[in-house]
Amino acid sequence: MSKNNRKMTNARLLSEYEDIFRCPICSNPIEVVNLRSLICYNHHCFDISKQGYVNLLSHPPKTKYDKKLFKSRKMFSQSGFFDPLIAQVCENMLEDLKPTSDTIKILDAGCGEGSHLSKIQQRIIEQSQCNLLGIGVDISKEGINVASMSPSKTIWCVADLAKCPLNDKQFNFLLNILSPSNYSEFHRILADDGMVIKVIPESKYLQELRGIFYNQTDRTEYSNENTLELFNRNFDLVDIQRVQYVVTMESKYIKQLVHMTPLSWGASEELIQQVLSKNKLEITFDFSVLLGKKMKAHRSIN
């Protein structure tokens, strides 16, 4: 699909679902004008890019996540290394789906380059035949730029989760996969009967890299206790599921993994090269999938 066709297709999708959005500056309703821009009642204007995504940030953020990282992550994901995790997330969503003629809306909050959301949408549609809309939001323009190349029925937005440009109680499912959270905004935009699915790393996640990069330091150990406690304070924890598996990774995938993980940021160049020089490496994937519902108190006040 050419950039112009992609822009028109995505702009029409934005126009169809413009009532989901609100202005990130003044919180007023926002509408698509001439399939070119989103404009609110106070005339704050956000242009639709050539790639078809919309940038709803008022100023660019400072971030270490660059194009190389997101391209590596996309190739890595397309190679199937996250598929067991994706399968578990989809299983939970399918179990929670209720028969409806309405569009099922999924938000991936902190979607990065969009691979997880695209795969999840594809699986859910194949197994349920429901009318599904995905919205991917990330603060990184580089990530959303890569994500917007996806052919799926998805709206991609550059936006700040701390001031989310989405209206109240819009989403049946809110995904937050290996990404920071903003629970006050999550409560606001999640439907009362919706489900939040948060994926966090467990203690053995990428332990082989951690052992090489941070040998004999306190960073060889990882604990998610604080993250789990914070989730528990904000949502009714319906279930917590462990997904753990080990893969033997060849050289080209080792390079993609090193380039995509923030674990490499604090490692010396010598240790990074030590990993990159390996022809094969066993890598452990270890996650907890947290399933949450709104607490009754929040349902009554939202």
Side-chain angles (χ1 to χ4, degrees):
M1 186 185 294
S2 70
K3 283 186 179 180
N4 191 52
N5 287 341
R6 187 182 297 116
K7 178 176 180 176
M8 288 298 100
T9 299
N10 291 352
R12 290 188 185 98
L13 192 60
L14 269 166
S15 182
E16 183 180 354
Y17 292 101
E18 64 186 13
D19 59 332
I20 291 175
F21 292 89
R22 71 183 197 181
C23 178
I25 296 173
C26 65
S27 298
N28 273 303
I30 201 165
E31 62 181 13
V32 176
V33 178
N34 298 324
L35 297 180
R36 294 178 59 185
S37 304
L38 272 73
I39 303 176
C40 81
Y41 291 179
N42 284 332
H43 307 293
H44 298 124
C45 180
F46 307 91
D47 291 336
I48 300 170
S49 73
K50 291 179 181 178
Q51 292 79 10
Y53 67 84
V54 61
N55 189 337
L56 292 164
L57 289 178
S58 55
H59 55 82
K62 293 181 180 179
T63 176
K64 292 178 72 174
Y65 290 78
D66 58 15
K67 186 182 293 185
K68 182 179 180 181
L69 180 148
F70 288 115
K71 284 188 172 181
S72 293
R73 188 174 290 178
K74 190 173 186 69
M75 290 187 289
F76 191 83
S77 180
Q78 287 175 338
S79 299
F81 292 111
F82 290 109
D83 282 3
L85 172 64
I86 296 300
Q88 184 64 50
V89 170
C90 289
E91 182 180 324
N92 289 310
M93 294 173 70
L94 288 164
E95 286 180 359
D96 197 66
L97 272 176
K98 302 169 183 66
T100 178
S101 57
D102 295 334
T103 299
I104 300 296
K105 298 168 189 170
I106 303 173
L107 174 68
D108 188 353
C111 67
E113 36 61 55
S115 295
H116 296 324
L117 179 57
S118 294
K119 285 195 172 189
I120 287 167
Q121 280 182 261
Q122 183 180 349
R123 286 187 181 226
I124 297 294
I125 289 170
E126 287 172 354
Q127 296 181 52
S128 71
Q129 298 182 334
C130 63
N131 185 25
L132 196 67
L133 173 70
I135 294 184
V137 171
D138 200 277
I139 201 167
S140 169
K141 180 181 175 181
E142 297 289 1
I144 294 297
N145 190 27
V146 174
S148 64
M149 306 300 174
S150 166
S152 57
K153 184 182 176 181
T154 314
I155 296 171
W156 302 105
C157 306
V158 184
D160 185 356
L161 289 178
K163 192 171 177 60
C164 204
L166 299 163
N167 279 319
D168 297 357
K169 301 183 181 181
Q170 291 292 316
F171 294 96
N172 306 90
F173 295 99
L174 197 160
L175 309 176
N176 187 230
I177 301 174
L178 302 175
S179 183
S181 306
N182 187 293
Y183 288 127
S184 61
E185 286 291 79
F186 286 4
H187 276 294
R188 183 179 64 77
I189 62 180
L190 186 67
D192 281 342
D193 61 350
M195 174 179 281
V196 58
I197 303 177
K198 182 172 178 64
V199 177
I200 59 178
E202 268 292 349
S203 58
K204 295 182 179 179
Y205 181 58
L206 306 185
Q207 63 181 359
E208 295 82 4
L209 288 188
R210 199 178 293 276
I212 295 172
F213 289 160
Y214 303 108
N215 187 27
Q216 297 181 340
T217 73
D218 58 3
R219 291 190 66 180
T220 57
E221 301 293 329
Y222 174 78
S223 171
N224 60 27
E225 266 186 47
N226 291 338
T227 305
L228 184 56
E229 182 185 345
L230 187 60
F231 187 90
N232 265 311
R233 289 207 303 265
N234 286 276
F235 289 95
D236 283 329
L237 184 61
V238 176
D239 197 7
I240 179 168
Q241 303 160 347
R242 190 80 172 258
V243 180
Q244 186 182 106
Y245 52 97
V246 178
V247 298
T248 300
M249 206 168 287
E250 297 178 357
S251 176
K252 66 176 181 178
Y253 301 120
I254 295 170
K255 289 176 182 176
Q256 291 170 6
L257 177 61
V258 169
H259 289 146
M260 66 172 253
T261 176
L263 280 178
S264 63
W265 294 351
S268 69
E269 186 61 31
E270 180 184 354
L271 291 174
I272 290 173
Q273 290 305 318
Q274 181 182 326
V275 173
L276 292 177
S277 66
K278 294 182 181 296
N279 292 322
K280 287 188 177 181
L281 188 62
E282 281 199 345
I283 295 290
T284 302
F285 291 81
D286 189 15
F287 311 98
S288 275
V289 180
L290 313 181
L291 308 180
K293 292 280 189 175
K294 279 186 175 180
M295 295 178 177
K296 290 181 181 179
H298 282 286
R299 293 183 197 183
S300 63
I301 63 174
N302 279 352

